[in-house]
Amino acid sequence: MKNRLILTCVSLLMSFATIAKLPITVTGPDGNLSLSLQLENGKTNYIVDYNGMRFLQPSSLGLKTSLGDFSQQLTYSKHSITSVSYDYELLKNKVSHVQHEATNLLVSFTTETGDFLDIEFRLANNDLAFRYIVRSGHDATRIKVFSETSSFNLPDDATSFITPQALPETGWMQTKPSYEEGYTFDEPVGTPSANGVGYTFPALFKNNQKGWILISETDVDSTYVGSRLSESTKHGEYGIAFPQEGENSGIGATYAAMALPATTPWRTITIGQTLAPIVETTQAFDLVLPRYPASQDYKMGRASWSWIVWQDDSINYDDQIKYIDLASELDLEYVLIDNWWDRNIGRDKIVELVNYAKQKNVGVLLWYNSNGWWNDAPQTPQNAMNTAPARQNEMQWLQEIGVKGLKVDFFGGDKQDTIKLYEDIFTDANKYGLTITVHGSTIPRGWERMYPNFVTSEAVLASENLIFTQRASDLHAFNATILPFTRNTIGAMDFAPVFLNKRLSRDQVNGSIRRTTEAFELATGILYLSPVQHFGLTPNNLEEQPDFVLDLIKEMPAVWDETRFIDGYPGSHAVIARRKGSKWYVAAVNGEDKAKKITLNLSMLKGKSLHHIFDKHNGNADYEGTSVNNNGQITLSLQPQGGAVLYSKE
């Protein structure tokens, strides 16, 4: 069904003529979320309360630009308050249908130079967003936005679950920043970041015992930069920071350049007394529109992937046949063939693999380096995605041979030039019917809806690290109780879950020791959201695992009609339920190295019979039929670093 967009704007307060000054206070539709906007000595600030409790203290607003300073010496002009209502379809996300109800506040100011600044706020029940609209009073046609004075002033006793920004041209082959740092854990606000350059989005904060705050951004395209949180003051006020000079090897400006009138991306805030609004928010998509129509109906699903466990040596013709067969046996939609395929397999043999996979009803995805000159990563193919002629020639060939999508790697920055490269790759790929996954990349910022062939983004300390270091495997369970409440809340996250080998190597003699149980690993396939889910499975799993494990993998959805937070706390455990059609899937993981029992409220499944996959004491998976009682409750026993999956029988 096509998106339906119905905007209803109804005046809720007085007309412009009868309102002469600030402050203004508005609320979301249910009255719990409240925004107060003030103008003091020519500077604007805002305050956010929820259920009468303070969540953001006075926080700054404004821009500094080539047209002038829009952060001070502002004069209030007028404002309007309207209600907004529309619904739309999401084809590849945590829900499939969204009904958006909100209050919209638009406030207009003039500057001392006679230019105009509008600040637009959107308040839903748990979501608040704002953006700027700049208009010239002197027939100017363009603007450079050098910085924002926007800030988020957290209560002094708030704590953080945020990931520090990496320094440019650091990490493996100088490919950072790529959103692959660890998270703070309940750290007091005002604590300096690990690298001294702030924190990446999304940022989760706990407001003492009052609730939770998630801060991010959306609607970022080629007209702006990707932003982050700056270092905070000692009292916990975080600003907006633009890209660092050295990102993408110093190529491109750190500011945004736009035509006038200019509209900035939305700064987004989600607030809840529990983690439910954080997990269930669709704000990243509510505030954006598609940039172009889909050239076809793109198919999401699951993929086998040799590189993740078998690594570079598996990029050969014979091993890819094995992984195509693995995908076919498990009813997976895709196989991903990773780096060096052009050198190790060759283009003619790739055509043969694509044709073989087609016979097996498996689509082929191919890896590409994003470029050949702004990082030192040696992997090929190179120089095929960084210029329009090369990209379109390559994509035409890919379309002709029947490839379904691409994984493009090593972007390393958030400058406007880099955001434009993402957009250009997405747009060109749509012309040739190709989906795009990005790695070594930034977070998606509403992109699943903005670009219909964009699939997923890494932008996380992902599962490859489980293979690279034992420490990552040791922390895997703990991190699985952080990511559902942070990175994965705002969009697709290509973590690449579900490892069933006890040693993460081809021979299962060497390599990292998997600390998590098999039920835990199965649960992550549901817990983590990615419209194409690249599994860490290997061909030997077909012989080693019982039918009930393979049966779950065969039917596990990758996109969902509904998502609900059930239970959890960062560092302890996470339980999320997702529905596809009439079937519910409940994933539970234990982040601690101790057994625990948790009682869940599954009201949507009361009286229903379920499949239950759980852990034996040795970490292997076991199965039983079970049911939820008439009170909608069920108690699960989770092994240390263990998990469970419940899913509907009918």
Side-chain angles (χ1 to χ4, degrees):
M1 184 169 66
K2 293 183 178 180
N3 288 345
R4 291 178 290 166
L5 181 60
I6 305 169
L7 288 174
T8 306
C9 296
V10 181
S11 178
L12 300 179
L13 291 181
M14 304 175 188
S15 67
F16 298 152
T18 59
I19 300 177
K21 60 181 181 179
L22 303 180
I24 305 165
T25 298
V26 295
T27 63
D30 66 5
N32 292 324
L33 184 62
S34 172
L35 166 78
S36 296
L37 182 68
Q38 304 176 89
L39 181 65
E40 298 177 337
N41 300 318
K43 296 183 178 181
T44 57
N45 66 68
Y46 69 102
I47 297 169
V48 179
D49 294 329
Y50 186 79
N51 276 344
M53 296 179 288
R54 185 60 42 88
F55 274 72
L56 286 179
Q57 301 173 127
S59 303
S60 301
L61 295 162
L63 303 169
K64 293 187 177 181
T65 79
S66 59
L67 201 62
D69 189 343
F70 290 84
S71 67
Q72 58 185 337
Q73 296 183 312
L74 298 175
T75 300
Y76 166 79
S77 176
K78 60 185 179 180
H79 76 266
S80 63
I81 302 173
T82 56
S83 65
V84 176
S85 176
Y86 55 84
D87 67 327
Y88 65 93
E89 308 302 319
L90 272 178
L91 300 180
K92 48 182 190 294
N93 217 274
K94 66 178 83 173
V95 299
S96 59
H97 181 82
V98 179
Q99 179 65 46
H100 180 62
E101 306 283 348
T103 303
N104 208 78
L105 169 66
L106 185 66
V107 189
S108 299
F109 301 91
T110 56
T111 69
E112 61 175 347
T113 58
D115 296 306
F116 307 100
L117 175 69
D118 294 341
I119 308 178
E120 184 176 9
F121 297 89
R122 181 75 61 85
L123 285 81
N125 288 339
N126 293 91
D127 296 320
L128 164 67
F130 64 88
R131 65 179 177 180
Y132 304 103
I133 304 165
V134 177
R135 294 173 288 117
S136 170
H138 305 90
D139 299 322
T141 61
R142 61 190 178 96
I143 187 173
K144 297 175 183 177
V145 180
F146 298 126
S147 64
E148 293 189 22
T149 55
S150 312
S151 74
F152 309 89
N153 192 359
L154 279 299
D156 292 354
D157 57 357
T159 55
S160 73
F161 301 82
I162 50 182
T163 181
Q165 170 76 6
L167 296 172
E169 296 189 274
T170 59
W172 185 79
M173 292 295 177
Q174 302 184 60
T175 54
K176 289 188 176 184
S178 51
Y179 291 70
E180 296 180 60
E181 313 307 307
Y183 278 82
T184 62
F185 182 76
D186 226 8
E187 187 173 81
V189 295
T191 304
S193 73
N195 298 311
V197 290
Y199 300 89
T200 63
F201 291 131
L204 178 68
F205 299 92
K206 187 183 180 189
N207 187 10
N208 201 342
Q209 300 304 309
K210 299 174 184 177
W212 301 87
I213 308 166
L214 182 75
I215 300 172
S216 192
E217 66 179 357
T218 193
D219 208 23
V220 178
D221 64 12
S222 60
T223 64
Y224 216 72
V225 297
S227 304
R228 66 183 192 278
L229 290 181
S230 70
E231 292 288 297
S232 74
T233 67
K234 65 179 180 179
H235 296 297
E237 184 171 13
Y238 298 80
I240 290 288
F242 279 9
Q244 302 163 87
E245 179 66 36
E247 291 183 24
N248 286 102
S249 195
I251 299 162
T254 61
Y255 56 79
M258 311 172 75
L260 286 169
T263 302
T264 69
W266 292 94
R267 309 290 166 221
T268 64
I269 304 161
T270 299
I271 293 175
Q273 289 181 289
T274 73
L275 285 164
I278 306 298
V279 170
E280 297 169 15
T281 182
T282 57
Q283 186 174 206
F285 317 109
D286 297 343
L287 303 172
V288 306
L289 290 172
R291 294 303 193 262
Y292 50 76
S295 65
Q296 59 184 273
D297 292 330
Y298 291 105
K299 184 179 182 181
M300 301 299 107
R302 297 82 34 82
S304 65
W305 180 24
S306 72
W307 182 89
I308 190 60
V309 176
W310 287 10
Q311 296 284 289
D312 284 351
D313 287 345
S314 71
I315 309 303
N316 61 72
Y317 185 90
D318 291 340
D319 281 346
Q320 295 313 308
I321 290 289
K322 294 173 185 176
Y323 272 81
I324 292 169
D325 290 343
L326 174 64
S328 178
E329 287 290 327
L330 292 175
D331 297 332
L332 309 182
E333 288 81 2
Y334 296 107
V335 62
L336 170 60
I337 304 176
D338 216 279
N339 57 190
W340 303 116
W341 60 262
D342 58 326
R343 185 190 69 176
N344 294 355
I345 299 174
R347 290 175 178 261
D348 290 344
K349 286 291 188 179
I350 282 291
V351 175
E352 291 184 20
L353 286 173
V354 171
N355 290 333
Y356 178 78
K358 185 177 181 180
Q359 295 170 14
K360 295 278 188 172
N361 200 30
V362 174
V364 171
L365 311 174
L366 289 180
W367 184 97
Y368 281 83
N369 199 325
S370 67
N371 67 306
W373 55 287
W374 55 67
N375 64 63
D376 295 327
Q379 286 91 336
T380 62
Q382 294 181 348
N383 301 312
M385 291 292 129
N386 56 312
T387 65
R391 186 167 55 241
Q392 293 182 30
N393 286 336
E394 187 76 2
M395 289 178 176
Q396 182 176 350
W397 173 72
L398 293 166
Q399 182 186 48
E400 289 171 353
I401 69 171
V403 168
K404 300 301 182 183
L406 310 182
K407 171 185 168 184
V408 187
D409 211 337
F410 305 131
F411 288 87
D414 282 319
K415 292 179 178 178
Q416 187 172 353
D417 284 43
T418 318
I419 301 298
K420 183 178 184 300
L421 176 63
Y422 285 112
E423 185 175 83
D424 288 347
I425 291 173
F426 302 155
T427 305
D428 284 348
N430 183 59
K431 297 175 185 175
Y432 297 97
L434 298 168
T435 62
I436 298 293
T437 289
V438 290
H439 268 229
S441 60
T442 193
I443 56 168
R445 294 168 163 91
W447 292 354
E448 294 94 320
R449 189 175 180 213
M450 293 162 64
Y451 307 109
N453 59 320
F454 168 76
V455 175
T456 187
S457 171
E458 184 183 27
V460 68
L461 197 62
S463 65
E464 61 189 15
N465 293 280
L466 306 178
I467 284 81
F468 296 160
T469 71
Q470 183 60 53
R471 176 169 171 76
S473 287
D474 294 345
L475 292 173
H476 181 31
F478 173 80
N479 287 331
T481 67
I482 304 292
L483 298 178
F485 309 133
T486 52
R487 164 66 181 87
N488 217 178
T489 60
I490 53 93
M493 179 184 77
D494 194 21
F495 182 88
V498 188
F499 293 80
L500 297 177
N501 287 358
K502 297 185 185 302
R503 297 291 292 262
L504 301 184
S505 64
R506 183 166 187 160
D507 62 16
Q508 297 196 70
V509 174
N510 301 295
S512 298
I513 300 168
R514 175 168 56 82
R515 303 297 190 191
T516 55
T517 67
E518 290 174 358
F520 175 103
E521 290 296 323
L522 292 168
T524 59
I526 299 162
L527 190 73
Y528 294 154
L529 173 72
S530 182
V532 170
Q533 198 79 277
H534 298 95
F535 287 147
L537 303 170
T538 54
N540 53 284
N541 298 148
L542 292 173
E543 303 301 324
E544 297 169 355
Q545 291 297 323
D547 287 345
F548 64 82
V549 168
L550 302 179
D551 289 343
L552 172 60
I553 293 169
K554 287 177 182 179
E555 73 163 76
M556 189 181 290
V559 295
W560 305 93
D561 295 317
E562 185 177 355
T563 291
R564 294 189 194 179
F565 167 77
I566 302 299
D567 197 11
Y569 188 93
S572 172
H573 63 287
V575 187
I576 291 177
R578 303 191 194 273
R579 179 179 60 82
K580 182 66 174 178
S582 62
K583 296 191 68 169
W584 282 96
Y585 297 76
V586 181
V589 296
N590 179 4
E592 298 181 286
D593 197 20
K594 62 180 181 181
K596 62 183 63 169
K597 286 189 176 183
I598 54 174
T599 298
L600 307 178
N601 181 7
L602 301 176
S603 57
M604 69 286 195
L605 289 171
K606 62 183 178 181
K608 299 290 187 181
S609 296
L610 303 173
H611 302 282
H612 180 204
I613 296 178
F614 59 97
D615 294 314
K616 298 178 182 177
H617 287 287
N618 65 1
N620 291 340
D622 207 347
Y623 171 87
E624 66 178 1
T626 190
S627 62
V628 178
N629 67 30
N630 289 330
N631 292 325
Q633 292 186 333
I634 191 169
T635 298
L636 299 181
S637 296
L638 301 180
Q639 294 297 315
Q641 300 188 58
V645 175
L646 299 166
Y647 65 107
S648 305
K649 284 190 173 182
E650 64 278 353

